[in-house]
Amino acid sequence: MPDKTRRARRAGPRSSGPGPVELPEGVVRTTTGTVELVRERGAPGSVTLMVNGVPSSHLDLEDPTRLEFEYMQQMAAVVDRLPEGPLDVVHLGAAGCAMARWVDATRPGSRQLAVDIDDRLVTLVRAWFGLPRAPRLRLRAAEAREALAGQGDASADLVIRDVFAPDTTPAHLQTVEFTADVARVLRPGGLYLANCADRPPLALARSEVATVREVFGHVALVAEPGQLRGRRYGNLVVAGTARQGLLDDAGLARALRSLPMPSRVLHGPDLTEFAGAGEVLTDGVPPPTGDLGTVLAAAPDDTRPRPPEQTRPRGSRDQSGRTFSA
């Protein structure tokens, strides 16, 4: 199957909607905290959305097909394996809508819903970034699980969970009950992608994999190899589907290896070995500790995430301090 992301770039970026307004300088208050836009040096059309002082989304306002954060590149590689054509997508976690812009540009005709708990932020990013209008992209201020519960059976081709409050995924969005509701919303052969922030020994990621395997027949984990070997903390992508051949496709493995930060996909026996004795997460039971928020508290100063003025944004560094992120 062709690489749709690269094909879209060769064809030139597709306009995401009305042109953005003049972007503000400095910190702006939102319902749940603050937001600030930081321009990329030498590229004024590229901005990082800082929510509560931490990078949350990176957007190239001239090219919506450009994804800067590593985990978003990994997600895009998986989505590219879905059949050609438009998609119905639910984004649980909106922020700057980087993934929604990418889908709109690479899958013309798609219909998307992006959910964020911060109603003021929803209004701001709609105005700042000239996002597509309904039905191409609807923005809704709501709690993620409640918004998912309101979606119809078999109504979406893709559900993306990218939710943090403030620097961890809320426990009720990691459970087998929540995952079962994702499966209810997905059409046969639909795809679920979850952003999981974790650190060695990756106890949370192992439990997330075990949980998703309780619901979906085919599950995979995507991450940078060094992270899987316990060398650093960051973001891992958990994928689930009922579609056979999607996640164990050789083309997906090649696409992930060819990313700017080469990544690996685990499935089958390798994933079983990784999951090990990972506990299935259920409503009312706290998940294992050790995700990104814990890491930041314990990490030496020289290994903590830095704002983009000092360090190029990376997917492993974008989620701390964020209520909903994407």
Side-chain angles (χ1 to χ4, degrees):
M1 184 177 296
D3 186 327
K4 301 179 185 67
T5 304
R6 293 179 179 175
R7 184 188 63 204
R9 286 179 176 171
R10 287 196 297 268
R14 177 175 180 257
S15 173
S16 62
V21 300
E22 183 176 352
L23 300 180
E25 300 287 343
V27 175
V28 178
R29 296 294 304 180
T30 67
T31 305
T32 63
T34 63
V35 63
E36 183 178 8
L37 300 179
V38 177
R39 304 294 186 99
E40 184 176 317
R41 289 179 179 174
S46 295
V47 298
T48 297
L49 185 74
M50 307 285 289
V51 178
N52 299 326
V54 177
S56 177
S57 294
H58 178 275
L59 298 96
D60 186 328
L61 301 181
E62 298 177 354
D63 183 1
T65 68
R66 177 189 171 195
L67 296 173
E68 187 75 4
F69 290 159
E70 293 161 12
Y71 80 88
M72 291 188 182
Q73 296 171 2
Q74 294 164 354
M75 286 184 172
V78 181
V79 174
D80 272 348
R81 311 319 297 175
L82 290 172
E84 300 273 356
L87 300 171
D88 289 333
V89 187
V90 177
H91 301 265
L92 301 177
C97 293
M99 283 300 300
R101 293 174 76 244
W102 177 84
V103 170
D104 183 73
T106 61
R107 299 277 188 145
S110 293
R111 297 176 298 180
Q112 303 184 78
L113 169 66
V115 178
D116 195 295
I117 201 169
D118 193 314
D119 56 350
R120 174 64 174 157
L121 183 61
V122 166
T123 300
L124 291 173
V125 298
R126 170 72 82 187
W128 289 343
F129 303 141
L131 297 174
R133 295 288 179 177
R136 288 164 59 190
L137 176 60
R138 293 177 294 136
L139 294 181
R140 180 179 301 170
E143 191 278 322
R145 188 157 172 176
E146 293 177 359
L148 181 70
Q151 302 304 300
D153 295 357
S155 59
D157 303 299
L158 172 64
V159 174
I160 298 177
R161 188 206 74 192
D162 196 1
V163 184
F164 289 80
D167 52 19
T168 62
T169 299
H172 69 291
L173 301 180
Q174 299 171 308
T175 66
V176 69
E177 293 88 352
F178 165 79
T179 309
D181 207 31
V182 171
R184 175 189 64 81
V185 171
L186 286 174
R187 296 187 176 113
L191 175 64
Y192 173 48
L193 296 174
N195 177 17
C196 173
D198 202 6
R199 67 173 174 91
L202 303 179
L204 179 59
R206 298 176 201 278
S207 286
E208 289 244 40
V209 167
T211 301
V212 175
R213 293 181 91 177
E214 286 288 300
V215 177
F216 289 98
H218 303 278
V219 178
L221 180 73
V222 180
E224 186 268 323
Q227 188 178 357
L228 292 173
R229 291 193 290 267
R231 293 181 178 175
R232 67 180 180 94
Y233 61 86
N235 299 73
L236 306 92
V237 174
V238 182
T241 184
R243 183 185 295 273
Q244 187 173 5
L246 175 64
L247 300 177
D248 59 355
D249 177 63
L252 173 59
R254 287 194 298 270
L256 291 167
R257 288 195 301 267
S258 69
L259 292 175
M261 177 65 75
S263 302
R264 184 183 174 194
V265 57
L266 300 183
H267 53 76
D270 289 339
L271 189 64
T272 299
E273 180 180 357
F274 171 86
E279 180 182 0
V280 174
L281 304 174
T282 59
D283 285 348
V285 178
T289 59
D291 60 317
L292 193 55
T294 305
V295 173
L296 294 178
D301 288 342
D302 61 351
T303 65
R304 295 187 183 187
R306 296 180 174 85
E309 299 95 326
Q310 303 175 49
T311 300
R312 179 174 174 265
R314 298 168 66 95
S316 60
R317 301 177 178 172
D318 71 328
Q319 299 299 341
S320 170
R322 179 73 182 101
T323 302
F324 282 113
S325 301

